[in-house]
Amino acid sequence: MTEGQHLQIILRLGDDALVLGQRLSAWCGHGPVLEEDIALSNTALDLIGQARNFYTLAAAREDQGRDEDQLAFFRTDKEFQNHLLLEQPNGHFGDTIVRQFFFSAFALERCAFLSRQLVDAEVAGIAAKAVKELQYHWEHAAQWIVRLGDGTTESHEKVQASIDHLWSYTGEFFNADEVDAAGAEAGLLPNLAVMRKAWNARVEACLAQATLTCPEDGWMQRGGKQGIHSEHLSYMLAEMQVLPRTYPDATW
Amino acid sequence: MVTVAQRIERVWTMVRTVHDPELPYLTVEEMGMVRGVTMRDNQIVVSLTPTYSGCPATDVISEDVENAVRSVEPEAQVEVVLSPAWTTDWILPSAYEKMREHGIAPPEGQSADRAFLTGQGKVIPCPFCKSKDTSMVSAFGSTACKALFKCNACLEPFEHFKCI
Ligand SMILES: [Zn+2]
């Protein structure tokens, strides 16, 4: 693992957390019930906090005079290396929950590994905190999957459609590129083939309980980790970045 | 001549005056957020550990601590330490009673206990009537560190400080 790859791994961790955190924050004030509004907003807050920790670390390591805000607000879509799933629009509540469910199952396993690895103590420290938060996110999403899947005919059909639609974005989690491979070889990142088994077990068990069908593996989307995104990310970043880009010296 | 130990003690005295903005009846020391006060390169450094990754109070707390200690040590620095990660096990025992007095059920037992993560599998007594007949309304509450509960005996809603 080169220094550049090490840095890229930390940035990717931050990008995943920031993009999903930003998406979820759009639910604030729009949740179907008050408790869900609070739950999604809290989840967003956790993720943005995790992103901030990873960006602060990345900024210190690259030592180019940038800080976490510059990494968040002054990079373009092609510089973001998040998984494509996370930039997908919120859709309806079921879409948001399915996106959260797929990602949390992955993030929880990944973060548990990061908290135990001995290659980078600072990453381990951030992950040790994040893993407990991700556990809450996973439980929350998994409970909703069961409630919606095993609920009414309409909720079942809607959430099954969300699963079928978002399924093609899950393959990217396990599609190791050379950065992932170098990170895994160095012991900083988990082996993605092993992760896939753990992820499948988690997801399949919950879907079965929810009387939902796990889609067959078909063609899978890819490109996010290489900076090749769906069009949704650019719009999301435009909204997220407009204020600091317009007034770069603004403070409050 | 003021010794290093005396300077550190003086800074500690000031650190102890800083309260958690979200739980104003608790000090940051009682919250277990102060990792230590040390002398490094002839400069006093106060190390703080945030409770949650996204806790919006972290910046305010760092500033409050900085302002407090600089009244006695103008050159003092505040640093945020993320590793090891903060856990509810670090909350001082004195904080527990104060939480109950303010209607918040404190964390129960070791944070390592997996069952607590969902607020299930463990009885959280009502901070008002002490009844153990309570249930979780939502794992997410008014701040990142709290979950929403209700008491089935006195019917009061209350918040529980999550074990994390
Ligand atoms: Zn009660």
Side-chain angles (χ1 to χ4, degrees):
Chain A
M1 179 176 62
T2 64
E3 242 176 73
Q5 288 170 326
H6 192 161
L7 192 61
Q8 215 171 334
I9 288 167
I10 298 169
L11 272 175
R12 284 181 179 185
L13 292 167
D15 289 347
D16 271 356
L18 181 67
V19 170
L20 185 57
Q22 171 71 13
R23 275 282 183 242
L24 286 175
S25 68
W27 274 102
C28 187
H30 299 275
V33 290
L34 182 62
E35 285 78 8
E36 280 319 300
D37 205 281
I38 293 171
L40 293 174
S41 301
N42 267 314
T43 305
L45 198 59
D46 287 344
L47 290 168
I48 291 169
Q50 292 168 18
R52 211 180 151 181
N53 289 339
F54 285 123
Y55 285 159
T56 301
L57 178 61
R61 293 268 176 92
E62 72 167 14
D63 198 21
Q64 305 270 326
R66 294 201 285 187
D67 63 9
E68 79 262 30
D69 282 345
Q70 263 137 358
L71 291 173
F73 296 123
F74 294 93
R75 282 184 305 147
T76 61
D77 49 0
K78 287 194 172 138
E79 292 171 279
F80 274 79
Q81 299 178 47
N82 56 283
H83 290 97
L84 294 172
L85 174 71
L86 308 173
E87 69 204 40
Q88 298 312 303
N90 284 340
H92 56 64
F93 182 69
D95 293 326
T96 289
I97 289 296
V98 169
R99 186 183 62 196
Q100 196 68 37
F101 172 70
F102 286 156
F103 176 68
S104 299
F106 170 74
L108 185 53
E109 297 287 346
R110 175 174 67 179
C111 200
F113 182 93
L114 291 172
S115 70
R116 289 190 306 259
Q117 53 76 32
L118 302 169
V119 179
D120 190 328
E122 286 176 279
V123 168
I126 297 170
K129 170 90 316 179
V131 74
K132 294 176 177 179
E133 296 161 353
L134 293 168
Q135 180 74 41
Y136 271 98
H137 306 170
W138 159 255
E139 297 284 349
H140 174 250
Q143 283 167 14
W144 268 110
I145 291 290
V146 173
R147 211 189 287 190
L148 295 171
D150 199 16
T152 65
T153 311
E154 189 189 351
S155 72
H156 178 96
E157 278 170 10
K158 280 178 106 164
V159 77
Q160 182 68 57
S162 307
I163 288 167
D164 296 344
H165 168 60
L166 291 172
W167 185 254
S168 69
Y169 293 98
T170 60
E172 195 185 14
F173 290 148
F174 313 108
N175 194 339
D177 68 359
E178 56 186 21
V179 176
D180 292 321
E185 203 185 306
L188 175 60
L189 288 180
N191 177 307
L192 291 181
V194 176
M195 283 275 291
R196 174 170 222 150
K197 288 204 183 85
W199 185 86
N200 276 330
R202 244 177 214 285
V203 166
E204 282 166 17
C206 184
L207 291 182
Q209 195 196 343
T211 72
L212 291 161
T213 309
C214 194
E216 298 287 317
D217 275 341
W219 186 79
M220 289 288 181
Q221 304 275 359
R222 58 167 78 180
K225 288 190 280 193
Q226 291 74 39
I228 301 163
H229 292 276
S230 58
E231 65 173 331
H232 308 297
L233 182 69
S234 314
Y235 289 103
M236 193 201 88
L237 291 180
E239 189 180 23
M240 185 182 88
Q241 297 179 334
V242 64
L243 189 73
R245 279 182 184 269
T246 312
Y247 303 100
D249 303 324
T251 53
W252 58 86
Chain B
M1 180 70 189
V2 186
T3 66
V4 170
Q6 283 169 327
R7 283 171 66 191
I8 288 179
E9 192 43 49
R10 220 161 48 180
V11 168
W12 258 115
T13 309
M14 294 314 293
V15 169
R16 290 194 180 99
T17 65
V18 179
H19 290 251
D20 182 330
E22 284 181 350
L23 300 157
Y25 44 88
L26 296 178
T27 66
V28 294
E29 184 197 20
E30 287 177 306
M31 285 296 292
M33 293 176 68
V34 187
R35 296 273 54 75
V37 179
T38 48
M39 178 66 94
R40 207 182 296 160
D41 301 330
N42 207 30
Q43 200 172 42
I44 299 273
V45 180
V46 183
S47 308
L48 299 176
T49 301
T51 52
Y52 274 70
S53 302
C55 183
T58 307
D59 288 344
V60 179
I61 290 171
S62 297
E63 258 175 56
D64 288 353
V65 170
E66 203 169 89
N67 290 337
V69 301
R70 285 194 177 165
S71 62
V72 292
E73 278 289 335
E75 304 293 313
Q77 294 293 324
V78 174
E79 65 168 15
V80 173
V81 184
L82 298 178
S83 184
W86 181 89
T87 102
T88 36
D89 298 343
W90 293 357
I91 297 177
L92 300 188
S94 63
Y96 281 62
E97 201 42 49
K98 290 184 192 167
M99 282 190 198
R100 280 190 207 98
E101 281 168 19
H102 288 82
I104 293 175
E108 299 270 334
Q110 288 288 311
S111 71
D113 187 340
R114 164 71 182 74
F116 290 133
L117 280 172
T118 53
Q120 290 159 347
K122 177 80 187 178
V123 175
I124 307 296
C126 169
F128 301 108
C129 74
K130 314 281 183 261
S131 167
K132 290 181 176 167
D133 182 13
T134 62
S135 48
M136 187 171 74
V137 178
S138 172
F140 298 90
S142 60
T143 63
C145 52
K146 285 175 271 175
L148 288 175
F149 274 70
K150 68 173 178 190
C151 174
N152 299 321
C154 73
L155 303 178
E156 282 294 325
F158 66 91
E159 291 187 305
H160 166 53
F161 203 101
K162 292 182 204 170
C163 260
I164 215 165

